[in-house]
Amino acid sequence: MRFPPFPESRSAVGVRGGPLVALAALLAGAVALAVIALFGAGWPDWWVPAGLALVTIAAYVLLWGFVVRPVRRFAAAMARMAAEDRVDLVPRARIAELDRVALALYRFRRIRPGRRGARARHRVPLPATLGVVAALVLGWAIPAAVVTVGGVEPQTDAVVRDAGASAAAQAEELHGALRGGLAVVERAAGLPTGAAITDPATTAAEVLAAEPLFRSVTVVDASGQPVATAGPAPSSAIEVPPGGPRVVQANNAGSEPLVRASSPMWDGASALVAEFDPRALNTVIRGSGGHTRVVDGQRATVLDSSGYTAFDPLDDPALGALAAAASGGTPAVDTPEDGRVAAAQRVTPPGTATDLGWVLVEDQDVVAAAFAGDGNRRAALVAIVVAASLACAALAWTAVTVVAPARRLAGHVERLAVGETVAPLAPQRLDEIGTAVEATNRLAATRTVRRVARA
């Protein structure tokens, strides 16, 4: 019996897709690292891109020798088998999953493999090849990343200068947030709406909507009693400081700091009080690569970039000394002996309306600070991580689209070989494995047709 030609794979790349992406990622990483090494300032060393180039070559040899070519040849043989109804056209394979399919087909048709096919040799599972390639990629990427980050040679003067600039920038940003919030309150309090404050709820709601750093806004009367509140009710009694618009810290203990901006309203009897959200203020100091905290005049923590318990004491002696030195308004920078660089900066100038006596203290590892300032090493690390991640993701995709369907096909043919009645197997993709699946389905259908004809 002869069948019409069997359709070939309709996938443009087929089983080559994942391996091609993996190799492209590795090759692009090697080129990027070579460019950085060529035009950079001494890093990466040439062994980094050269090592990746060798990994790429090894990956090509393994993927094409033990995945792509064997699967493509096997699919072509399966297509010829289906077209000519000859199982003997399917050779034994050195790939374990494909060899299982071939042996099951021989049993299915009750024929013996040829002498060459029956020769004993080692079979290589598809996952083993992918695992070796992944191990090569990670075996290069992990040491390269470690040396890139840990091999930086800190220039102490530059690190100290950058730490001081970072602390000053963060302190200025926090000061700007406090000053901006007070300005919003001041503007709203100075706008007359009539002979008396007739709609305090609207005034409070408008201020709360205008400033995202506020969590509540309250209009209070001359005795300090709330008249209207937008947002959560004040968590403690409100005391309006005398002397005009100010920002104050209303507590020195509790679950969180209470920071309030207040201003007398234009009628001279009422006051507008806005309470800052400590979480929102905390986000202002999270732009640094180090550990940043803000302490009040008693050296108790009021903000911390790493999460904290409010009013924890600053018990690090080196940082405490820096905070004390900076509280007078002079920035302080030091390099403690434990490999850190630390800087302290007063948040607001003394005597201003926003002066809370706060000092911002930032500390970070000297090596991490030096790495953050080394553009070459940062670029190299990005290239290493991206190349390795894409390559490993492509290998994982190959396992899903090639290895799993091949194993599923092997199990299906083995059930057919022992005489089980099983439904046709649906191809997962229209690639080479899909071709083999369709060939198997046609072979099984042929046996069914012959049995019906004999009956």
Side-chain angles (χ1 to χ4, degrees), residues 349-450:
T352 60
T354 54
D355 180 24
L356 300 170
W358 285 0
V359 175
L360 182 142
V361 182
E362 178 185 356
D363 70 298
Q364 59 181 314
D365 183 80
V366 172
V367 173
F371 175 77
D374 191 329
N376 260 31
R377 288 181 180 269
R378 292 201 310 273
L381 182 63
V382 170
I384 292 168
V385 171
V386 170
S389 299
L390 289 177
C392 289
L395 293 173
W397 174 249
T398 303
V400 171
T401 58
V402 177
V403 177
R407 287 184 162 182
R408 192 158 48 246
L409 173 61
H412 178 77
V413 180
E414 286 170 344
R415 287 194 295 274
L416 286 174
V418 297
E420 291 186 25
T421 301
V422 293
L425 185 64
Q428 180 173 312
R429 300 170 73 232
L430 298 178
D431 58 5
E432 291 84 352
I433 299 295
T435 296
V437 169
E438 288 293 350
T440 301
N441 291 338
R442 180 173 292 196
L443 187 70
T446 302
R447 182 174 68 171
T448 302
V449 168
R450 285 175 172 166

Side-chain angles (χ1 to χ4, degrees), residues 191-256:
L191 293 175
T193 57
I197 304 299
T198 56
D199 192 7
T202 300
T203 301
E206 289 176 348
V207 173
L208 184 62
E211 179 51 71
L213 291 177
F214 293 156
R215 68 177 173 189
S216 68
V217 178
T218 304
V219 177
V220 299
D221 59 21
S223 63
Q225 295 301 310
V227 176
T229 298
S235 53
S236 65
I238 295 176
E239 296 182 9
V240 180
R246 286 197 63 81
V247 176
V248 298
Q249 180 181 324
N251 65 334
N252 293 311
S255 60
E256 58 184 4

Side-chain angles (χ1 to χ4, degrees), residues 104-323:
L105 288 173
Y106 299 151
R107 291 197 302 271
F108 179 75
R109 279 294 178 86
R110 294 181 173 83
I111 65 174
R112 291 185 178 182
R115 184 178 302 172
R116 180 182 176 188
R119 188 182 304 160
R121 55 179 170 178
H122 295 293
R123 313 294 175 188
V124 180
L126 287 170
T129 301
L130 300 182
V132 170
V133 174
L136 287 173
V137 172
L138 295 177
W140 165 84
I142 293 174
V146 169
V147 174
T148 298
V149 175
V152 63
E153 297 180 1
Q155 302 294 324
T156 305
D157 293 342
V159 170
V160 169
R161 182 176 64 250
D162 291 344
S166 175
Q170 289 195 85
E172 179 55 35
E173 189 173 358
L174 182 56
H175 181 206
L178 297 172
R179 187 173 57 233
L182 181 60
V184 170
V185 171
E186 209 172 345
R187 282 195 301 271
L191 293 175
T193 57
I197 304 299
T198 56
D199 192 7
T202 300
T203 301
E206 289 176 348
V207 173
L208 184 62
E211 179 51 71
L213 291 177
F214 293 156
R215 68 177 173 189
S216 68
V217 178
T218 304
V219 177
V220 299
D221 59 21
S223 63
Q225 295 301 310
V227 176
T229 298
S235 53
S236 65
I238 295 176
E239 296 182 9
V240 180
R246 286 197 63 81
V247 176
V248 298
Q249 180 181 324
N251 65 334
N252 293 311
S255 60
E256 58 184 4
L258 301 178
V259 183
R260 292 169 177 163
S262 63
S263 177
M265 300 194 74
W266 68 275
D267 63 351
S270 305
L272 188 62
V273 181
E275 191 170 292
F276 285 93
D277 184 350
R279 296 174 182 80
L281 288 178
N282 218 37
T283 61
V284 176
I285 63 170
R286 283 185 175 164
S288 167
H291 181 193
T292 304
R293 54 180 74 90
V294 176
V295 297
D296 61 16
Q298 284 72 46
R299 306 290 177 266
T301 304
V302 290
L303 300 174
D304 194 310
S305 63
S306 301
Y308 68 108
T309 300
F311 303 109
D312 270 354
L314 182 62
D315 50 10
D316 186 308
L319 299 184
L322 276 180

